[in-house]
């Protein structure tokens, strides 16, 4: 969690609560890694997204997590299409699955600190130029350049930020993508047609997202490890 890539993650204490309940019923049988995957799966389903069948049986690491690994493996808020495809295709995903996984931006918020560079320092950036002017003004109004609260202020990723749907793609096509990747996917020839397809076909988006979710959830799974008694400490 020391990685800047994980900035903004909240409610981690709920994982510990779930783990304590699972331990009371099934001691030393369900890993924290499995609980995290299941929590993500349920968040998608409860928000109106697909119910994804995920394989279980992961182990937890023997050692403390490394923020350097998180820095290397998690895309930064400034990532573009090249960065996204490099990371996701290296985990066995197709371009379609990669675009679908970015569709998770349909949920939640983006902190102002993550878009200040795009708003105020990327005049020559194509994704910046293609932002819908009214939306750009809206973002600047809510995320002023010299604000002292950019780490806590935020904007919604799309108008239905609590519903897992395909409106994210429709907004991106309309020039209302919050992050650089949201805008670049619309114009990049490798991804543009996929974005348009997902904007018009929610079911295909759900199918591709489910496939990508399973691939991501099984990437880097430990062959050897432990099942921790508590998720926030090494036991």
């Amino acid at each position: 969690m020391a990685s800047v890539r994980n900035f903004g993650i909240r409610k981690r204490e709920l994982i510990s609560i779930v783990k304590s309940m699972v331990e009371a019923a099934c001691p030393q049988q369900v890993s924290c890694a499995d609980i995290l995957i299941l929590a993500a799966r349920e968040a998608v389903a409860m928000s109106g997204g697909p119910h994804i069948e995920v394989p279980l049986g992961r182990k937890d690491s023997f050692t403390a997590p490394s923020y350097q690994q998180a820095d290397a493996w998690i895309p930064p808020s400034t990532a573009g299409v090249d960065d996204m495809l490099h990371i996701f295709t290296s985990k066995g995903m197709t371009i379609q699955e990669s675009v679908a996984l970015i569709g998770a931006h349909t949920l939640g918020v983006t902190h102002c600190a993550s878009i200040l560079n795009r708003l105020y320092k990327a005049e020559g950036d194509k994704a910046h130029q293609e932002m819908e002017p009214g939306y750009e003004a809206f973002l600047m109004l809510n995320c002023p350049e010299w604000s002292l609260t950019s780490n806590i202020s935020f904007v919604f990723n799309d108008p239905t930020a609590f519903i897992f749907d395909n409106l994210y793609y429709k907004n991106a096509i309309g020039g209302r993508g919050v992050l650089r990747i949201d805008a670049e996917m619309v114009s990049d020839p490798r991804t543009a047609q996929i974005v348009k397809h997902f904007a018009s076909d929610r079911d295909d988006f759900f199918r591709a997202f489910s496939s990508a979710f399973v691939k991501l959830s099984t990437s880097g799974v430990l062959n050897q490890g432990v099942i921790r008694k508590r998720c926030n400490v090494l036991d």
Side-chain angles (χ1 to χ4, degrees):
M1 291 307 302
S3 170
V4 295
R5 303 284 196 271
N6 285 319
F7 172 75
I9 292 181
R10 292 180 171 85
K11 303 294 184 181
R12 286 180 289 139
E13 67 276 6
L14 293 179
I15 300 297
S16 296
I17 293 171
V18 171
K19 176 62 171 174
S20 65
M21 296 171 69
V22 172
E23 282 297 304
C26 313
Q28 295 271 256
Q29 293 185 50
V30 183
S31 68
C32 296
D34 273 351
I35 289 175
L36 283 168
I37 293 298
L38 290 170
R41 189 271 299 273
E42 293 306 313
V44 170
M46 291 176 67
S47 302
H51 182 84
I52 305 168
E53 295 294 331
V54 294
L56 301 174
R58 296 166 186 79
K59 293 291 194 295
D60 299 319
S61 64
F62 292 105
T63 58
S66 163
Y67 74 87
Q68 291 100 333
Q69 284 184 325
D71 285 346
W73 293 348
I74 302 176
S77 60
T78 56
V81 170
D82 285 338
D83 306 301
M84 179 266 289
L85 292 180
H86 173 73
I87 291 173
F88 291 155
T89 57
S90 70
K91 299 184 183 302
M93 295 183 205
T94 65
I95 295 179
Q96 185 182 55
E97 288 170 334
S98 300
V99 173
L101 200 60
I102 294 295
H105 288 182
T106 188
L107 291 179
V109 303
T110 295
H111 285 84
C112 290
S114 297
I115 58 173
L116 291 179
N117 185 72
R118 182 180 180 217
L119 287 175
Y120 300 104
K121 296 183 174 64
E123 289 82 1
D125 187 88
K126 185 177 180 181
H128 174 85
Q129 294 169 349
E130 293 179 352
M131 197 184 306
E132 194 273 316
Y135 188 67
E136 182 178 21
F138 166 79
L139 292 179
M140 288 180 167
L141 179 65
N142 285 274
C143 300
E145 185 172 9
W146 304 111
S147 172
L148 299 177
T149 61
S150 60
N151 280 344
I152 57 174
S153 53
F154 59 84
V155 292
F156 289 112
N157 287 348
D158 72 25
T160 57
F162 300 101
I163 301 173
F164 196 97
D165 55 22
N166 64 339
L167 186 58
Y168 160 78
Y169 297 106
K170 298 176 183 179
N171 274 313
I173 292 171
R176 297 183 297 277
V178 180
L179 295 168
R180 174 187 169 192
I181 183 66
D182 304 334
E184 278 196 7
M185 286 199 308
V186 176
S187 57
D188 191 291
R190 295 168 293 182
T191 56
Q193 291 304 313
I194 301 171
V195 170
K196 291 179 182 178
H197 178 66
F198 287 161
S200 63
D201 194 324
R202 191 202 69 164
D203 291 342
D204 265 7
F205 163 48
F206 279 12
R207 279 190 287 269
F209 181 86
S210 298
S211 176
F213 187 99
V214 171
K215 286 185 179 180
L216 187 62
S217 75
T218 55
S219 174
V221 171
L222 296 176
N223 294 321
Q224 295 183 335
V226 296
I227 294 180
R228 295 184 188 175
K229 296 178 181 178
R230 294 180 290 172
C231 295
N232 57 337
V233 295
L234 288 173
D235 282 329

